[in-house]
Amino acid sequence: MNTFESSCEIGAGPRAAARVGSRVLRMRDFRWQGVPATEYKQAAEHHAGVTRMSLAGEGGESTAFHTRYFEIAPGGHSSFERHAHEHVVVVLRGRGSVRLGDAVHDVGFGDTVYVAPHEPHQFRNDGTEPFGFLCIVDAVRDRPVAVTET
Amino acid sequence: MNTFESSCEIGAGPRAAARVGSRVLRMRDFRWQGVPATEYKQAAEHHAGVTRMSLAGEGGESTAFHTRYFEIAPGGHSSFERHAHEHVVVVLRGRGSVRLGDAVHDVGFGDTVYVAPHEPHQFRNDGTEPFGFLCIVDAVRDRPVAVTET
């Protein structure tokens, strides 16, 4: 699970010493050796078909950021949400769409999305293949808030 | 150019307000719309054939990390160097190798490399196609030091 901090605490403090050595995580079919693929959040929340893998930053590293891979199954979507922390997303697999405020953008391999602070956003997979992307965030970050359509 | 800080200053301070809005950077043939591809460092240093593109973090965003794409031409290599800050690397294009201390690992698409603090490291492309990878680092970081073979 992620550890979220209150939005008053954004900004990393003194760097902790890394507790792990250098390593190579091998990927095969968009799964990484030794990295568990977990369902994202609780099923009751407003998302569907999202799998999360933690690639770096949450396993003893001391980076000021976390690198995760998310995969959205066909027909699935992430929560429509907002938060102060920013997202940097790089698409690795398939195609999907990202909503940024009122605009929707189709994206594919290599396309890079920056989600600015407080921007309501959602990722969707309306295709027939998995839609997978890296999502990099500050290690210390505020908790997302669900956005309700008006 | 990168801005490096002394190693005493690692750890991000209070977050600056982001000065840019959300955006999608489209990729085509491993080049991103509106992102210049620049030769990395000075030609006189101990590297060859390395191109750098800044995808997020150095253009008005306030993330505690910078997301860059590096591409090494066939026959090229990065500097053999060490530093306190960590690298998280995800291969996007082609194949190459990474030296981590005395070990050399061949890597390809999706393989993810964590370079621990002070680990001497070097990326090489001994193949015939470009070798490209994302490299994510803390926004505030120390300057690399060249490692000399003994």
Side-chain angles (χ1 to χ4, degrees):
Chain A
M1 296 290 290
N2 263 329
T3 302
F4 291 105
E5 306 288 340
S6 84
S7 58
C8 302
E9 299 178 273
I10 50 179
R15 181 205 292 263
R19 289 177 284 112
V20 291
S22 299
R23 62 160 190 270
V24 176
L25 293 179
R26 303 268 171 209
M27 189 200 79
R28 187 169 180 171
D29 294 334
F30 297 92
R31 295 295 181 268
W32 285 262
Q33 198 170 34
V35 177
T38 56
E39 187 189 9
Y40 187 54
K41 298 183 182 174
Q42 301 297 314
E45 296 186 43
H46 301 287
H47 69 97
V50 183
T51 303
R52 177 187 188 281
M53 281 149 263
S54 178
L55 299 183
E58 299 173 286
E61 306 87 348
S62 63
T63 52
F65 58 91
H66 293 167
T67 304
R68 303 91 48 88
Y69 173 76
F70 290 91
E71 198 167 86
I72 304 182
H77 59 87
S78 66
S79 305
F80 186 42
E81 64 184 29
R82 63 196 300 277
H83 38 67
H85 67 271
E86 300 148 277
H87 282 314
V88 175
V89 164
V90 181
V91 177
L92 291 192
R93 181 180 201 183
R95 297 197 62 85
S97 68
V98 55
R99 177 174 175 181
L100 298 169
D102 291 328
V104 176
H105 308 266
D106 289 325
V107 291
F109 177 64
D111 290 341
T112 299
V113 181
Y114 168 69
V115 182
H118 306 294
E119 183 80 271
H121 59 280
Q122 184 175 42
F123 294 86
R124 302 192 70 90
N125 182 356
D126 294 323
T128 57
E129 301 294 327
F131 170 44
F133 50 85
L134 298 172
C135 178
I136 310 150
V137 289
D138 285 358
V140 181
R141 58 189 180 274
D142 63 324
R143 185 183 291 273
V145 174
V147 178
T148 308
E149 301 283 356
T150 54
Chain B
M1 296 290 290
N2 264 329
T3 302
F4 291 104
E5 306 287 340
S6 84
S7 57
C8 302
E9 297 177 273
I10 51 180
R15 181 204 293 260
R19 290 177 284 113
V20 291
S22 299
R23 64 161 189 269
V24 176
L25 293 178
R26 303 268 171 208
M27 190 201 80
R28 187 168 179 172
D29 293 335
F30 297 93
R31 295 295 181 268
W32 285 261
Q33 198 171 34
V35 178
T38 57
E39 186 188 10
Y40 186 54
K41 297 183 182 173
Q42 300 298 314
E45 296 185 43
H46 300 288
H47 69 97
V50 183
T51 304
R52 177 186 187 281
M53 280 149 265
S54 178
L55 299 183
E58 299 174 287
E61 306 88 347
S62 63
T63 52
F65 57 90
H66 294 167
T67 304
R68 303 92 46 87
Y69 173 76
F70 290 91
E71 198 167 86
I72 304 182
H77 58 86
S78 66
S79 306
F80 185 42
E81 63 184 29
R82 64 196 297 279
H83 39 68
H85 67 270
E86 300 148 276
H87 282 314
V88 175
V89 164
V90 182
V91 178
L92 291 192
R93 181 180 199 182
R95 296 198 63 84
S97 68
V98 56
R99 177 173 175 182
L100 297 170
D102 291 329
V104 177
H105 309 266
D106 289 325
V107 291
F109 178 64
D111 290 342
T112 300
V113 182
Y114 168 69
V115 182
H118 306 294
E119 184 80 270
H121 59 279
Q122 184 175 43
F123 293 86
R124 303 192 69 91
N125 182 356
D126 294 322
T128 57
E129 302 294 327
F131 170 42
F133 49 86
L134 297 173
C135 179
I136 310 150
V137 289
D138 284 358
V140 180
R141 57 190 181 273
D142 63 323
R143 184 183 289 275
V145 175
V147 177
T148 308
E149 302 284 357
T150 53

